[in-house]
Amino acid sequence: ISAELAYFLRGRARQNLKLLLYYCGFLLLLILCYATLFRYLMLHLEGREFSFVAGVYWAITVMTTLGFGDITFHTDIGYVFATVVTISGVVFLLIILPFGLISLFLAPWIEQRLRYRPSFSLPPETSGHVLVFGVNPTARVLFRNLASRKIPFVVITDDYEESLRLEEEEDVRVVCGSPTDVKMLQKVRVDSARYIFANLSDTENTNLCLTIRSLCKTPIAAVVDEPEHIDLVRLSGADKAVPLQRIIGRYLGIRSTTCGALAHVIDSFGPLQIAEVPVHGSPFVDMTLEQARIRQQTGMTVIGIWDRGTFTVPERDTLLSPSSLVVLAGTHDQLRVMEELIGEQETDDLVFILGHGRIGCAAARFLDRKPVPYVLIDQEENPHCESHIAVLGDATNRHLLKKAGIDQAKGLIVTTNDDSTNIFLTLSSRNSNPHMRIVARANTEENVAQLYAAGADFVVSNASVGASILMNILESKESIFLTEGVTIFRRPVPTSVVGMSVNESRLRPRTGCSIVALEVEGEEPLAPSPETILRAGCSLVLIGSPEQEKKFGELFGPGGEGW
Ligand code: ADP
Ligand code: ZN
């Protein structure tokens, strides 16, 4: 029913609805006029007095040709008037109104229904397609990513309304059917698909994987809600199990700790570690990148600067402000040198975690390992967690947070399942503590900007993290998710620039990609200076957006060939 209602509230149907309202207004006016004229004529021609209600009653019975005949004229002028009312009733009420209703509403609606015929199978020759089971915010971001890389994909859902919406509004190819029906799986050519994304509930995913495995060996990546189900999902045949909530919790945990000048390793890429160092408390405050001489002193490359949620690839004259974070790449040893350079590790860190769902719990687990002390706050107990004890109460209650000691906190993780609550908590915490490190989770993509505007230092969007992980699995890329639109990747040194220095090769001006490190087989990766010579047989580790990565491929040939 709601879908039908939605149909009438949209687009052209909505305009037609307005037209209908105007027409009804016109009819009402006509009836009122006739009623007034009726009373006037009755009084002056026949000397009979009628109430206004009787006038309306008379006009309606005559216009609808019902004509009870209990009130009638007995003069010629009266007869003429009654005839005019009857004929106008037939025209306006019995012909134009039904005709309008049918042609403006019923016909387009039936037409739309008839036009949309859900598909129940794919052509037999279909192959190399990606199959996505389950539609949720992560899947929607994934659809966009797949479409922008021109990878053919098909969504399978048993929800008719959803499939209609996806096909009509988002131009996504959909096949209707139950995901665990063997016949239907054969009809969508699971055996010749390139990859399968199982994005249903844990139990449905297990069922789906088992069914697919009874048919073929197409690789499957399954999103797992509860980390304890990972093994079961793998057992049922998934090649990759992605514990999304746990990964997001880890991201939040990593970015929430404010251990003074301690560097945080956020990920690693082969022997290279990618770490973040807050500028605040380091000797680099208010220096330009050139003055800071980070590469010369530590051998690490500065690959990016975070400032209030924006990631930029720095230039020589980029200023290191105290509110920013430097993202560095280097080996483990170089990182130690860096840490020595920027001072001792502070130990008096305290993180508040607001929301002890699966993500909050995973963040706490990450901090357990560091270890960084933390306080969990949730209005309910988490039935899946036995290791943590949360302060019970509403996180929006300022007194509760104060009593729990939020004033001592250096970091804050905002991770309730409600984005409005998250925005509110971010805003009020930023307001009372301008220096706290606030990381927040966005449940829907639309709220990322609001969370940053509310004062979050980092926002992790469930959907875009999930979609990026799945994309990386699909492209079997060893690449790192830093933020939407930034990836780190490896390429051999292109033959056309062999023998040139980094500066002469003009790789960055030509492609937009920056060089993170130069790798030689069997040696430590090297942070290249502008004078470093690019030798044949080396690999480049590069950072850039997917477009820049593509540009690199276009200029120097796609991976492996023509080097
Ligand atoms: P996920 O598992 O994805 O983290 P959940 O819905 O399980 O998501 O977790 C969200 C948690 O946030 C729940 O445990 C819920 O009780 C908690 N929560 C929601 N609103 C508030 C609030 N105002 N104060 C405290 N906790 C909250
Ligand atoms: Zn827990």
Side-chain angles (χ1 to χ4, degrees):
I1 296 286
S2 65
E4 263 83 89
L5 199 69
Y7 169 81
F8 286 110
L9 295 177
R10 260 202 320 258
R12 241 193 47 218
R14 194 196 174 112
Q15 275 180 7
N16 291 345
L17 204 63
K18 236 187 197 164
L19 210 62
L20 178 73
L21 285 179
Y22 285 137
Y23 189 72
C24 288
F26 162 74
L27 284 180
L28 190 73
L29 210 70
L30 199 65
I31 291 170
L32 295 182
C33 282
Y34 286 153
T36 315
L37 215 59
F38 161 82
R39 289 179 65 209
Y40 176 83
L41 290 178
M42 271 297 183
L43 193 67
H44 291 277
L45 294 176
E46 308 191 5
R48 287 196 279 165
E49 203 173 341
F50 286 98
S51 71
F52 189 69
V53 175
V56 171
Y57 161 78
W58 178 85
I60 291 176
T61 51
V62 174
M63 281 179 85
T64 55
T65 70
L66 190 64
F68 286 125
D70 50 350
I71 308 172
T72 46
F73 283 101
H74 297 289
T75 57
D76 281 352
I77 297 180
Y79 292 146
V80 171
F81 176 59
T83 313
V84 168
V85 173
T86 312
I87 292 174
S88 75
V90 170
V91 173
F92 290 122
L93 216 56
L94 303 187
I95 298 177
I96 295 185
L97 187 64
F99 179 77
L101 276 178
I102 291 172
S103 66
L104 291 182
F105 295 100
L106 209 57
W109 184 72
I110 291 174
E111 203 180 297
Q112 193 218 22
R113 288 269 134 169
L114 288 181
R115 195 158 32 105
Y116 180 68
R117 289 230 185 84
S119 336
F120 295 102
S121 66
L122 293 175
E125 67 278 6
T126 313
S127 74
H129 53 305
V130 173
L131 290 171
V132 184
F133 291 84
V135 181
N136 60 9
T138 306
R140 288 204 184 90
V141 178
L142 186 69
F143 299 159
R144 282 210 301 271
N145 292 358
L146 287 166
S148 76
R149 310 257 172 109
K150 304 216 166 30
I151 299 172
F153 67 100
V154 180
V155 181
I156 289 92
T157 175
D158 49 8
D159 184 341
Y160 175 82
E161 296 299 338
E162 182 83 79
S163 65
L164 185 133
R165 208 188 53 71
L166 280 172
E167 292 229 12
E168 295 262 299
E169 285 172 26
E170 292 179 28
D171 212 13
V172 168
R173 185 92 191 263
V174 187
V175 170
C176 256
S178 156
T180 47
D181 170 8
V182 176
K183 283 225 181 67
M184 156 26 237
L185 288 173
Q186 283 165 337
K187 281 188 199 152
V188 296
R189 320 289 154 200
V190 268
D191 50 338
S192 57
R194 169 172 169 187
Y195 224 105
I196 292 165
F197 289 137
N199 191 24
L200 303 159
S201 72
D202 288 357
T203 45
E204 288 169 311
N205 277 347
T206 336
N207 192 348
L208 175 67
C209 291
L210 282 171
T211 321
I212 292 175
R213 277 296 161 262
S214 69
L215 293 171
C216 63
K217 289 203 161 59
T218 309
I220 309 173
V223 175
V224 186
D225 283 338
E226 292 292 338
E228 65 245 40
H229 293 154
I230 293 176
D231 290 340
L232 281 174
V233 172
R234 284 228 182 87
L235 206 63
S236 69
D239 300 82
K240 301 262 182 200
V242 183
L244 202 52
Q245 329 283 350
R246 190 160 83 180
I247 295 170
I248 293 163
R250 227 189 84 216
Y251 274 133
L252 290 171
I254 290 166
R255 299 195 153 151
S256 68
T257 52
T258 49
C259 303
L262 180 69
H264 312 291
V265 175
I266 52 175
D267 221 322
S268 55
F269 192 77
L272 273 185
Q273 306 217 294
I274 312 293
E276 288 176 354
V277 176
V279 172
H280 174 77
S282 78
F284 312 130
V285 179
D286 290 333
M287 286 185 182
T288 63
L289 202 57
E290 196 167 19
Q291 291 165 339
R293 294 172 57 78
I294 292 175
R295 182 172 48 78
Q296 290 86 337
Q297 293 185 71
T298 64
M300 297 190 92
T301 317
V302 177
I303 59 174
I305 310 267
W306 276 114
D307 203 354
R308 283 283 147 89
T310 37
F311 181 88
T312 46
V313 177
E315 305 284 339
R316 272 158 196 257
D317 53 358
T318 303
L319 199 70
L320 302 174
S321 78
S323 69
S324 59
L325 281 162
V326 190
V327 184
L328 298 155
T331 60
H332 190 77
D333 293 339
Q334 292 170 339
L335 198 58
R336 290 287 91 74
V337 176
M338 181 75 195
E339 277 178 2
E340 266 164 41
L341 192 73
I342 50 185
E344 294 279 281
Q345 175 184 349
E346 271 178 40
T347 48
D348 62 337
D349 200 4
L350 176 65
V351 175
F352 263 59
I353 304 175
L354 310 182
H356 183 213
R358 286 160 301 177
I359 295 179
C361 188
R365 243 168 248 269
F366 174 83
L367 296 177
D368 279 333
R369 284 208 321 248
K370 278 231 136 183
V372 169
Y374 57 83
V375 177
L376 276 165
I377 297 191
D378 198 298
Q379 56 198 3
E380 283 162 34
E381 300 227 30
N382 183 338
H384 298 286
C385 173
E386 285 161 5
S387 16
H388 305 128
I389 297 167
V391 176
L392 284 184
D394 188 342
T396 53
N397 179 342
R398 205 67 221 160
H399 291 295
L400 176 86
L401 293 187
K402 266 217 154 65
K403 257 208 290 202
I406 196 148
D407 292 337
Q408 270 83 53
K410 298 254 170 73
L412 179 72
I413 300 177
V414 182
T415 172
T416 76
N417 48 353
D418 177 43
D419 278 343
S420 308
T421 310
N422 289 352
I423 293 169
F424 176 85
L425 290 171
T426 304
L427 190 72
S428 70
S429 310
R430 176 56 75 215
N431 195 26
S432 54
N433 190 345
H435 296 298
M436 184 147 62
R437 191 133 188 237
I438 303 178
V439 291
R441 134 193 186 189
N443 296 293
T444 58
E445 220 45 26
E446 294 80 60
N447 289 314
V448 172
Q450 269 94 309
L451 282 162
Y452 276 127
D457 292 298
F458 279 105
V459 178
V460 178
S461 146
N462 294 7
S464 63
V465 171
S468 295
I469 294 172
L470 293 177
M471 278 311 277
N472 284 348
I473 290 177
L474 176 69
E475 303 188 315
S476 57
K477 244 200 235 159
E478 188 199 4
S479 70
I480 293 171
F481 178 80
L482 278 176
T483 174
E484 186 91 324
V486 181
T487 49
I488 298 180
F489 53 97
R490 188 179 277 121
R491 290 279 185 280
V493 172
T495 38
S496 59
V497 299
V498 165
M500 294 185 188
S501 72
V502 169
N503 236 351
E504 286 163 353
S505 74
R506 296 179 34 82
L507 282 180
R508 181 156 170 195
R510 282 160 80 188
T511 64
C513 307
S514 306
I515 303 177
V516 176
L518 203 58
E519 292 180 329
V520 188
E521 192 74 23
E523 281 177 40
E524 293 263 279
L526 177 82
S529 71
E531 293 77 38
T532 307
I533 302 291
L534 300 169
R535 282 179 291 147
C538 299
S539 297
L540 291 168
V541 178
L542 298 150
I543 181 167
S545 64
E547 292 79 49
Q548 292 168 341
E549 185 184 346
K550 219 172 104 201
K551 186 98 184 270
F552 195 95
E554 282 165 7
L555 276 177
F556 301 115
E561 289 163 32
W563 301 91

